């Protein structure tokens, strides 16, 4: 880097003028920083602000979170995905109440002992909440550094990540970790993004890729993961005006969320055939009178899901299932479905049914 002091000074001045007004930046409360950083994993900023405000209204502090039920916490988290994050928030809150008087520890090694807190989140809490000189490296910082230092090999290579973490540590100005780390991430989000705005960038004077005219070629991508396409079917089983829902097992995909039964189609199966089979395997219910509702497309990580959705009915009046893929079940009236946490595709289905007045 040509001029470290200039880089630090220009970046901090830019952040002071251009930083976004975010609720957790009001006071930098450790609880707020922890919560926001967990929510921001795999989620866009604008969505997180809405979820954060709703969460804080219900759980204003760590003790209230520790006393919350898993059901309510999952419901508040509904739509953010990666539900293990929400469970770990509750687990950690209970540990903090039991062992830390309901406060977040201000030492890096103690933070790393807590569920759901790794190197990144611990660094974020230490620097943003306590203003200590610990680095934060997210995708935004990786992109910024790949351009500033002109990293010409895949950014996710082990050697490159080690280099970036080392630089992120050494570049922090003494006593200004809170603002400097945020400035780096904000720069990557607002200026040095996929379509960089180099003419307005406060770091351009120290950017090697900009100097060489190859900003668009950085970062160098690695090998992309193969996309997995999945075709599935799910059924809204109705009997005497009530819907059948079941709660998924405590481990695995969508753990402890409620769902309508269904699953992945086997080779050669039609959606109707697959749904009848899945109901039998999961609940031992025999279903009939399948009526198509809609087809939902949903993507997460590297999976692309096509979900065929049906209304269906019981073949007989036996309403007692034998559960093989769930921990409990309920027959509920449609009006109370909003009280339960569902995976995003199933919530989309409920919203569609309500919007089209099919309830």
């Amino acid at each position: 880097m040509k001029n470290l002091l200039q880089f630090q000074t220009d970046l901090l001045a830019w952040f002071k003028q251009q930083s976004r007004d975010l609720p957790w930046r009001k006071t930098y409360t450790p609880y707020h920083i922890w919560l926001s950083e967990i929510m921001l994993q795999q989620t866009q900023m604008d969505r997180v602000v809405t979820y954060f405000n709703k969460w804080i209204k219900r759980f204003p502090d760590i003790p209230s979170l520790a006393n919350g039920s898993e059901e309510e916490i999952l419901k508040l988290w509904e739509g953010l995905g990666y539900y293990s994050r929400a469970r770990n928030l509750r687990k950690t809150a209970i540990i903090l109440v039991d062992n830390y008087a309901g406060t977040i520890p201000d030492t890096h090694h103690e933070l790393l002992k807590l569920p759901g807190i790794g190197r990144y989140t611990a660094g974020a809490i230490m620097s943003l909440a306590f203003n200590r000189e610990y680095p934060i490296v997210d995708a935004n910082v990786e992109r910024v550094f790949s351009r500033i230092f002109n990293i010409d090999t895949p950014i996710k290579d082990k050697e490159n990540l080690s280099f970036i973490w080392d630089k992120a540590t050494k570049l922090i100005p003494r006593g200004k970790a809170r603002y400097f780390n945020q400035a780096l991430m904000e720069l990557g989000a607002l200026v040095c993004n996929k379509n960089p705005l180099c003419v307005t960038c406060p770091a351009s004077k120290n950017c090697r890729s900009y100097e060489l005219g190859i900003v668009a070629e950085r970062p160098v991508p690695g090998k992309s993961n193969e996309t997995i396409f999945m075709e599935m079917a799910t059924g809204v089983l109705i009997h005497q005006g009530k819907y059948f829902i079941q709660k998924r097992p405590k481990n695995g995909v969508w753990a402890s969320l409620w769902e309508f039964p269904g699953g992945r189609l086997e080779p050669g199966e039609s959606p109707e055939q697959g749904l009848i089979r899945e109901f039998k395997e999961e609940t031992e219910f025999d279903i009939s009178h399948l009526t198509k509702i809609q087809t939902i497309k949903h993507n997460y990580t590297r999976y692309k899901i096509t979900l065929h959705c049906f209304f269906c009915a019981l073949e007989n009046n036996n309403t007692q299932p034998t559960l093989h893929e769930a921990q409990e079940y309920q027959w509920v009236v449609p009006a109370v479905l909003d009280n339960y946490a569902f995976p995003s595709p199933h919530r989309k289905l409920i919203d569609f049914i309500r919007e089209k007045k099919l309830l």
Side-chain angles (χ1 to χ4, degrees), residues 51-164:
Y51 276 88
F52 178 90
N53 288 331
K54 287 173 59 179
W55 185 284
I56 291 300
K57 184 176 181 180
R58 173 60 187 88
F59 299 119
D61 50 32
I62 292 171
S64 64
L65 174 56
N67 289 326
S69 69
E70 182 178 273
E71 189 74 35
E72 185 176 14
I73 287 167
L74 291 177
K75 178 59 186 172
L76 269 177
W77 198 268
E78 186 183 57
L80 279 177
Y82 301 92
Y83 289 87
S84 60
R85 295 180 295 167
R87 295 187 191 89
N88 282 333
L89 281 168
R90 180 171 179 263
K91 289 178 185 176
T92 294
I94 293 171
I95 293 171
L96 293 176
V97 168
D98 290 343
N99 300 323
Y100 297 90
T103 61
I104 293 178
D106 62 355
T107 60
H108 193 259
H109 72 276
E110 288 294 321
L111 288 171
L112 290 174
K113 297 178 183 178
L114 299 171
I117 296 183
R119 183 183 186 184
Y120 170 85
T121 305
I125 295 170
M126 291 300 296
S127 62
L128 306 189
F130 301 115
N131 199 26
R132 308 279 181 79
E133 283 77 21
Y134 283 86
I136 309 176
V137 175
D138 66 356
N140 288 314
V141 176
E142 290 174 3
R143 186 167 52 254
V144 169
F145 280 17
S146 75
R147 290 169 173 162
I148 287 176
F149 296 104
N150 189 30
I151 299 174
D152 60 3
T153 53
I155 195 63
K156 292 294 186 181
D157 284 359
K158 184 178 180 180
E159 297 79 6
N160 289 335
L161 291 178
S162 179
F163 171 84
I164 290 172

Side-chain angles (χ1 to χ4, degrees), residues 232-255:
M232 307 179 72
T234 192
V236 180
L237 177 60
I238 306 174
H239 184 72
Q240 296 182 352
K242 292 186 177 182
Y243 288 13
F244 178 84
I245 59 175
Q246 61 182 16
K247 192 173 188 180
R248 291 184 61 83
K250 294 181 179 180
N251 299 305
V253 178
W254 297 337

Side-chain angles (χ1 to χ4, degrees), residues 282-345:
E282 293 182 16
T283 66
E284 297 192 17
F285 280 152
D286 291 313
I287 61 170
S288 61
H289 297 88
L290 275 64
T291 304
K292 188 69 176 284
I293 304 172
Q294 71 162 165
T295 299
I296 291 174
K297 303 285 188 178
H298 183 75
N299 303 332
Y300 66 98
T301 58
R302 56 198 183 101
Y303 295 90
K304 291 186 178 294
I305 294 175
T306 299
L307 182 65
H308 302 276
C309 309
F310 297 86
F311 285 125
C312 53
L314 287 171
E315 271 283 81
N316 50 52
N317 289 321
N318 175 29
T319 60
Q320 295 286 109
T322 301
L323 298 179
H324 296 288
E325 298 292 339
Q327 44 180 313
E328 60 179 286
Y329 76 94
Q330 290 192 29
W331 288 95
V332 299
V333 295
V336 303
L337 287 173
D338 285 345
N339 297 334
Y340 299 85
F342 285 85
S344 291

Side-chain angles (χ1 to χ4, degrees), residues 11 14 144 182-193 201-203:
L11 188 58
W14 172 84
V144 169
Q182 287 184 103
L184 277 176
M185 293 187 290
E186 200 88 327
L187 184 70
L190 302 182
V191 177
C192 193
N193 49 36
C201 180

